[in-house]
Amino acid sequence: MKPQRLWRACLGLLIAVCVFPTATLATEIEFKNCQVKLNAVEIDAECGTLTRAENPDEPAGRQIDLFVAKFASRSAKPADDAFTMIQGGPGGSSIDMAIGMQQVLESIRAKRDVLVVDQRGTGRSNKLACPEMDNDEVFRFDPIIAAEYAKKCLAENSDSDPRFYTTSVAVQDLDAVREAAGYTQLTVYGVSYGTRVAQHYLRRFPEQTRAMIIDGVAHVGLNLAGGEIARQSQHSFDGMADRCSAEEHCRTRFGDIRAKFKAVRERLLAQPEKISLPHPQTGKMQTETVSEQNLYASVRMLPYSTEGIALMPLMISEAFDGNYIPITAQTLMMSESFTEGFAMGMQNSVICAEDYPFIEESDTQNLDDTYFGSTTIDGINVVCTHWPKGVMDDDFLKPFDSEKPVLILSGETDPITPASNGEIAANMFSNSKHIIVPAHGHGVI
């Protein structure tokens, strides 16, 4: 997995909740030949838009356009259902993911169309983007900076109402797109946060769902605003260190990875380092400040890919020897992907509505033994104090079952949605199959 794709990934008071009917009648989407583009890659497709009410309770109020891309089947008689995919984050573009996964989609297009919509607030569908942050601001938590950034992000999106960019509204959009595109059913694939959307779509529209694939599962009821990120990141780091210690070549080459990580962490806590390096994408020389947060970010995000976790002993060992270029180059690429590829406003709307209000005391326990500590909880608390609380269906956190076939995919070394999450989903869905891929990170497909 490319470093710039690592962020996809990415994961209190009871708010007033209700189930929203589809407020805007779906009309036929007028598809036209087009090319969808991601960086230097352009893919032929058929494109169209579907106009939806931003507030489902006000059909005559502000309207937003959902961007839809169709990749037609090669079959002379395609299946009645279309295959759709939902990106994670929250805040990632599903269409961008589809562009990067064309080889995977080729086998699917042999039998059925692929229909992908950028979820409201992401990609090409009224993206709730926030102002860019400096590399230091991205990876060094400061409550004052975090509060000001949340306010700036709201101001940047003042024309939109962040309350209506949540999962409960998005599944209504998805089914309206299905109807407007003329399909009887959808076969739904979701990855990471996208598994949350996929499961809620199945809950809301069981008859319109042919089958579901959830990959890197955020199971129903999982809270991503508490200590989950810190605990899972620490678990992933410990697994990497244990495997290196048990493997002779890794142990001989890199020594005690835990001890080296601790030494680098303490060194950077005491005194951040300033270094000069060529930008990993432009080659332009620049000066960066390396803090312990850069170290944490690299250690957290590298295990998302199978290749990345293999590089961690080398990166930590190099930093121990005083070479901070690998860490800094990694965080430069991640910070740019973070600000460019993900709609942080939409992510705030989801987390602050669906996770933050339901943090329990147990979510904040046992964080002192993690390298992250309470940093992620502190950051979310600051942002959600300022962010408007969005809408959520009243049964959103309740387990449910379905007779529809469910394929569950997990990576053995996934640092954020471990195989145990997939097992919880497998126990909830009676007609399911759970596959765990050995030595694989986040996103099996």
Side-chain angles (χ1 to χ4, degrees):
M1 183 183 297
K2 302 291 185 183
Q4 62 265 30
R5 294 175 59 195
L6 293 176
W7 282 102
R8 66 184 186 180
C10 310
L11 232 305
L13 298 175
L14 184 64
I15 59 175
V17 291
C18 57
V19 178
F20 288 94
T22 302
T24 304
L25 293 176
T27 56
E28 184 177 351
I29 298 175
E30 183 181 353
F31 286 102
K32 297 181 179 179
N33 291 336
C34 67
Q35 285 191 319
V36 286
K37 182 177 180 180
L38 174 62
N39 299 323
V41 179
E42 291 185 336
I43 303 294
D44 290 330
E46 298 173 43
C47 300
T49 59
L50 181 66
T51 301
R52 298 282 288 166
E54 183 177 54
N55 180 351
D57 276 350
E58 297 180 2
R62 183 173 186 266
Q63 307 291 299
I64 59 174
D65 287 335
L66 304 178
F67 189 89
V68 185
K70 180 169 70 173
F71 305 95
S73 172
R74 298 189 306 276
S75 172
K77 190 177 180 181
D80 291 336
D81 69 289
F83 179 89
T84 194
M85 54 200 321
I86 306 166
Q87 173 65 297
S93 162
S94 298
I95 293 175
D96 284 354
M97 178 170 65
I99 295 170
M101 294 177 60
Q102 282 299 302
Q103 290 182 324
V104 174
L105 298 181
E106 278 303 304
S107 60
I108 296 170
R109 293 173 62 192
K111 293 184 177 181
R112 51 182 42 83
D113 294 340
V114 174
L115 182 74
V116 188
V117 56
D118 272 343
Q119 187 170 327
R120 61 166 59 199
T122 73
R124 303 153 184 83
S125 297
N126 198 47
K127 183 177 181 179
L128 299 188
C130 293
E132 290 189 10
M133 297 179 72
D134 293 336
N135 195 44
D136 290 346
E137 293 177 335
V138 172
F139 295 114
R140 177 177 285 279
F141 172 69
D142 181 304
I144 296 176
I145 292 177
E148 289 304 312
Y149 186 69
K151 295 175 184 177
K152 288 179 181 178
C153 189
L154 287 170
E156 189 87 358
N157 296 282
S158 59
D159 290 340
S160 301
D161 190 331
R163 295 176 300 162
F164 303 108
Y165 290 80
T166 59
T167 305
S168 296
V169 181
V171 296
Q172 303 287 342
D173 289 341
L174 180 58
D175 198 62
V177 167
R178 173 203 60 79
E179 182 180 353
Y183 297 99
T184 58
Q185 290 183 316
L186 294 176
T187 295
V188 183
Y189 166 85
V191 62
S192 196
Y193 159 74
T195 67
R196 177 183 286 187
V197 183
Q199 290 172 92
H200 200 54
Y201 181 82
L202 175 61
R203 185 204 302 271
R204 278 287 155 268
F205 301 100
E207 296 306 314
Q208 288 75 33
T209 306
R210 170 183 169 270
M212 180 176 70
I213 305 168
I214 46 178
D215 186 356
V217 179
H219 59 81
V220 173
L222 176 67
N223 194 307
L224 294 175
E228 183 73 5
I229 292 174
R231 284 189 288 267
Q232 293 301 338
S233 297
Q234 185 65 48
H235 179 74
S236 175
F237 175 84
D238 290 340
M240 176 276 300
D242 289 342
R243 288 191 297 275
C244 187
S245 178
E247 207 279 320
E248 181 180 356
H249 294 293
C250 189
R251 183 177 64 251
T252 301
R253 171 65 177 84
F254 300 113
D256 189 337
I257 292 299
R258 280 192 177 87
K260 287 186 175 182
F261 176 83
K262 181 180 179 181
V264 174
R265 175 188 183 186
E266 291 175 351
R267 193 190 307 161
L268 292 175
L269 275 167
Q271 182 62 56
E273 293 276 349
K274 278 194 174 183
I275 69 166
S276 295
L277 77 163
H279 191 283
Q281 292 176 328
T282 67
K284 185 178 180 179
M285 291 299 298
Q286 57 192 76
T287 300
E288 294 290 333
T289 300
V290 187
S291 72
E292 80 283 357
Q293 293 297 335
N294 295 79
L295 176 66
Y296 298 165
S298 295
V299 169
R300 179 194 168 193
M301 299 311 301
L302 276 172
Y304 272 54
S305 75
T306 306
E307 299 86 355
I309 199 168
L311 290 172
M312 285 176 63
L314 174 64
M315 184 192 72
I316 293 170
S317 187
E318 286 294 309
F320 179 79
D321 292 336
N323 177 15
Y324 296 106
I325 289 178
I327 288 177
T328 311
Q330 182 68 32
T331 53
L332 278 171
M333 289 187 290
M334 288 191 297
S335 65
E336 291 192 1
S337 174
F338 189 65
T339 55
E340 294 175 8
F342 283 84
M344 295 310 300
M346 178 271 191
Q347 181 174 111
N348 293 342
S349 292
V350 170
I351 296 295
C352 295
E354 301 168 10
D355 298 275
Y356 173 71
F358 307 101
I359 295 177
E360 299 179 353
E361 186 176 352
S362 60
D363 292 319
T364 64
Q365 302 300 310
N366 304 319
L367 298 182
D368 290 341
D369 294 332
T370 70
Y371 65 83
F372 258 131
S374 64
T375 303
T376 54
I377 295 178
D378 295 340
I380 291 170
N381 180 64
V382 169
V383 171
C384 292
T385 298
H386 298 276
W387 206 262
K389 303 302 185 293
V391 298
M392 189 181 78
D393 290 340
D394 56 3
D395 58 353
F396 188 82
L397 299 175
K398 296 178 181 177
F400 73 104
D401 196 4
S402 172
E403 63 182 14
K404 298 301 174 75
V406 176
L407 175 62
I408 302 168
L409 304 175
S410 297
E412 182 186 31
T413 60
D414 190 327
I416 186 61
T417 53
S420 57
N421 286 15
E423 199 57 32
I424 292 173
N427 290 331
M428 185 177 76
F429 293 117
S430 55
N431 187 19
S432 65
K433 173 70 174 179
H434 186 199
I435 297 174
I436 303 172
V437 179
H440 194 83
H442 189 61
V444 167
I445 199 170

